[in-house]
């Protein structure tokens, strides 16, 4: 059953709101994928904070019209699933990871911050670690000199402590012999 005009306007408004705050949109053809596999893809996308939706292409074109993602309109043909995320790599990562396990999902195009991406661009964007991983790596790099300095001080203190502890028993033994 088709959508009436009010339903179409509501869909365009909903998707436009997601697009307005998005950094990345990835478009993939899903022809021939079983419903159970699409359900798993949707669950994965939801867990990653990715808005994933099958849309009529005309409604999707209207949603991206006048935005930084307007260049995607040329790629919007055929049965497509749209992956939209506020995180720069999440949309690409969800679609790319699923495409690795299911050859029927074919990545068509993507757009990151207004830059049109081809299949290779989407794949390379998906290979970038997530924001959380990058932050933890940065913190590890920042803490490395401090923790190294602390270990050095602890080793120095232990060495000094060993030197004084060996001298102290010798001093205690000397008066006992006299």
């Amino acid at each position: 059953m088709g959508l009436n005009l009010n339903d179409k306007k509501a869909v365009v408004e909903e998707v436009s709101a997601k697009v307005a705050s998005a950094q990345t949109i990835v478009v993939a053809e899903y022809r021939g994928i079983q419903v159970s596999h699409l359900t798993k893809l949707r669950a994965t996308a939801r867990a990653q904070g990715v808005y994933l939706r099958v849309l009529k292409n005309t409604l999707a074109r209207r949603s991206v019209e006048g935005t930084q993602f307007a260049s995607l309109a040329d790629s919007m043909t055929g049965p497509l699933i749209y992956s939209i995320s506020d995180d720069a790599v999440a949309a690409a990562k969800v679609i790319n990871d699923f495409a690795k396990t299911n050859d029927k999902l074919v990545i068509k195009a993507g757009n990151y911050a207004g830059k049109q991406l081809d299949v290779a661009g989407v794949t390379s964007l998906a290979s970038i670690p997530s924001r959380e991983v990058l932050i933890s790596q940065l913190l590890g790099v920042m803490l490395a000199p401090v923790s190294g300095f602390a270990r050095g001080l602890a080793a120095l203190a232990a060495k000094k402590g060993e030197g004084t502890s060996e001298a102290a028993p010798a001093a205690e033994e000397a008066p006992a012999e006299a």
Side-chain angles (χ1 to χ4, degrees):
M1 183 171 162
L3 300 173
N4 65 26
L5 184 60
N6 290 332
D7 292 340
K8 289 178 183 179
K9 286 181 182 179
V11 168
V12 169
E13 285 178 23
E14 177 187 344
V15 175
S16 294
K18 293 291 183 182
V19 168
S21 64
Q23 285 191 22
T24 306
I25 297 178
V26 177
V27 179
E29 189 172 318
Y30 67 95
R31 184 175 292 153
I33 296 179
Q34 296 176 356
V35 174
S36 61
H37 293 156
L38 277 178
T39 303
K40 289 178 186 175
L41 174 61
R42 285 187 171 115
T44 304
R46 206 173 307 116
Q48 299 294 324
V50 175
Y51 180 78
L52 191 72
R53 181 123 187 219
V54 174
L55 294 168
K56 289 185 172 261
N57 294 330
T58 55
L59 298 180
R61 281 189 206 102
R62 287 186 181 139
S63 297
V64 298
E65 196 173 88
T67 67
Q68 61 184 351
F69 303 108
S71 62
L72 270 177
D74 298 336
S75 303
M76 295 179 182
T77 57
L80 300 177
I81 191 162
Y82 296 86
S83 177
I84 303 169
S85 71
D86 298 339
D87 184 4
V89 299
K93 190 175 290 287
V94 166
I95 294 292
N96 189 52
D97 290 348
F98 187 78
K100 286 179 185 176
T101 61
N102 193 325
D103 60 342
K104 293 186 181 190
L105 185 75
V106 179
I107 299 170
K108 288 192 73 172
N111 192 309
Y112 167 67
K115 294 180 181 78
Q116 186 73 15
L117 301 173
D118 58 353
V119 177
V122 171
T123 304
S124 64
L125 183 64
S127 68
I128 296 173
S130 69
R131 183 175 188 267
E132 291 79 21
V133 171
L134 290 174
I135 288 173
S136 66
Q137 288 175 348
L138 177 65
L139 285 175
V141 168
M142 291 172 61
L143 290 177
V146 174
S147 61
F149 181 69
R151 282 192 298 270
L153 283 177
L156 182 64
K159 186 175 180 182
K160 292 256 185 202
E162 288 174 4
T164 58
S165 63
E166 290 175 3
E172 291 175 8
E173 292 176 15
E177 293 176 2

